[in-house]
Amino acid sequence: MVLSKPILCFVASLLLVGRGTADPNVVLSKEHNSLLCTEKPTFDPFYEDVNPFLVPEENTEYCPKELSIVPQNYRGQLTREFFSNEEKKPVDLFWVNENGVEVFTDRIQPGEVKVVKTFEGHLFHVRIQADEGGKLLVRHRVGKISFANPGQVCSSEPFEKLEFEDLSNAPGPKGLGCNFKTTTFSNHVGCPINLFHYNGNKERLVGQLGSHSTIPVNEFSSNHMFEATYLDHQFRARLTDGTLVGEHTIKRVRIGPCPLRRREPIAISDEKIRFEIRNTIGIQANQTDSLSENGFLVSDDSIEVYEDAVSWTSSSASSLTGSNTC
């Protein structure tokens, strides 16, 4: 029997997850569809000489200012990054080398997701094409994910080694999905934590991070662990008594238009103007932080505060370079 393409796509998307195994309850995003693989995925090599303390935090800046001195790269573990172009025009992706020089990597078409094999610690710039001004849209640092504990409250419950759920014999397809992403998690809580993968219905223990910096990565009580995971997967860090201290979702690097910038204070006496400015820079109707008491938009800096909150209305990425997507 010959299966149609839609059926093949559905079957291929039912890949399993977690430390190289699979979760039959999770449907992976299209970037991980097995039809995209030219060969069976295998774990990336683990570099013993990488010092996880030197790997910077993951960080994304939208429409940032140009820098005369760009922070250098530190080569961490091998991983992948996903750049999703939600602009209405092509953009150019650059790797910023150790000398701060931009090296052209690829052009990303509207609606396209570019999967880049790289190292944690590496820096990337996304720009409008040079013949249209070359404006810097995104500065993204590939890096580790850290959990902190602002309240500095630790649990009195003992930190004991627990058994992880073994999914190697789970029913359904097995093995790594295409374009998995390896991520370093770091414990900055100040006390031991248990790390869970949350699939929308339940949590599954995937790691235990202590506070010992001398213990090798992925060993019990080490404050760093290295995990193979996928886009849209959510992780939750809990103290030994179950208190939630942090959560993180693996996301694409979204590329969209810069918000409107105003160089001079603007009187907002008309409700329509107020709405238009709010709508342009992504401020919700119930937020007034950037507005002074007399209804003035105080400065350009006030808008910058909300750059990360800008919501793009473009449709989500619909294709992958060189791939026959479903």
Side-chain angles (χ1 to χ4, degrees):
M1 179 178 68
V2 178
L3 297 178
S4 66
K5 182 180 176 182
I7 295 177
L8 283 172
C9 290
F10 174 75
V11 173
S13 66
L14 298 177
L15 296 172
L16 300 172
V17 178
R19 307 185 77 83
T21 60
D23 187 339
N25 298 317
V26 177
V27 178
L28 300 182
S29 61
K30 58 184 174 295
E31 286 89 344
H32 308 297
N33 194 303
S34 63
L35 295 182
L36 302 177
C37 290
T38 56
E39 57 186 23
K40 183 178 180 180
T42 57
F43 282 110
D44 293 327
F46 181 79
Y47 296 98
E48 299 287 348
D49 61 337
V50 170
N51 184 345
F53 289 96
L54 298 181
V55 176
E57 301 287 333
E58 178 182 276
N59 184 57
T60 305
E61 300 174 73
Y62 293 100
C63 305
K65 296 179 180 178
E66 298 281 355
L67 297 178
S68 55
I69 300 178
V70 178
Q72 291 192 6
N73 295 294
Y74 175 78
R75 198 210 74 176
Q77 298 293 347
L78 188 65
T79 186
R80 290 163 185 77
E81 197 55 274
F82 302 79
F83 294 89
S84 175
N85 184 9
E86 300 178 15
E87 262 280 19
K88 295 180 180 179
K89 58 183 68 176
V91 296
D92 288 341
L93 177 66
F94 298 86
W95 169 57
V96 182
N97 69 17
E98 60 276 7
N99 298 316
V101 177
E102 292 184 342
V103 179
F104 178 76
T105 301
D106 219 327
R107 179 158 291 169
I108 311 177
Q109 299 298 325
E112 181 184 22
V113 177
K114 185 72 65 176
V115 184
V116 179
K117 199 167 186 178
T118 184
F119 292 91
E120 290 183 320
H122 280 193
L123 187 68
F124 290 87
H125 283 172
V126 179
R127 294 182 179 274
I128 293 293
Q129 295 179 72
D131 57 3
E132 296 189 22
K135 181 176 178 59
L136 180 59
L137 297 177
V138 176
R139 177 181 292 122
H140 177 72
R141 173 80 69 180
V142 183
K144 63 184 178 183
I145 306 301
S146 295
F147 295 101
N149 184 6
Q152 294 299 312
V153 177
C154 288
S155 170
S156 59
E157 296 290 327
F159 184 52
E160 300 176 340
K161 189 173 183 179
L162 303 174
E163 294 296 326
F164 296 175
E165 181 181 4
D166 183 7
L167 294 180
S168 59
N169 295 318
K174 297 181 177 65
L176 287 171
C178 291
N179 297 323
F180 65 91
K181 179 175 181 176
T182 44
T183 302
T184 298
F185 291 102
S186 180
N187 179 9
H188 290 182
V189 172
C191 46
I193 58 174
N194 292 319
L195 188 64
F196 298 85
H197 166 238
Y198 177 62
N199 68 1
N201 295 312
K202 64 179 182 178
E203 294 179 345
R204 178 173 60 85
L205 182 66
V206 295
Q208 293 183 279
L209 287 81
S211 52
H212 297 285
S213 59
T214 57
I215 297 179
V217 174
N218 279 4
E219 295 292 329
F220 174 71
S221 206
S222 170
N223 60 354
H224 286 87
M225 67 171 281
F226 197 53
E227 178 79 358
T229 185
Y230 301 93
L231 289 176
D232 303 322
H233 278 204
Q234 185 181 59
F235 292 86
R236 293 178 173 179
R238 295 185 180 275
L239 300 179
T240 52
D241 63 2
T243 301
L244 181 69
V245 293
E247 53 187 5
H248 180 83
T249 301
I250 307 298
K251 291 292 186 183
R252 303 159 186 77
V253 181
R254 298 175 62 189
I255 304 164
C258 290
L260 177 67
R261 289 181 177 275
R262 305 279 191 178
R263 292 300 178 186
E264 300 296 333
I266 304 170
I268 310 178
S269 56
D270 184 270
E271 193 61 27
K272 181 177 180 181
I273 298 178
R274 180 189 297 268
F275 170 79
E276 291 297 335
I277 293 179
R278 287 178 181 279
N279 186 57
T280 304
I281 65 176
I283 305 176
Q284 301 300 316
N286 60 349
Q287 292 178 313
T288 56
D289 304 42
S290 67
L291 303 177
S292 63
E293 292 182 358
N294 59 3
F296 278 78
L297 189 62
V298 259
S299 69
D300 184 50
D301 292 334
S302 299
I303 296 180
E304 290 182 354
V305 173
Y306 289 95
E307 286 186 352
D308 287 344
V310 173
S311 59
W312 298 308
T313 57
S314 305
S315 58
S316 57
S318 59
S319 64
L320 281 164
T321 299
S323 302
N324 184 14
T325 55
C326 302

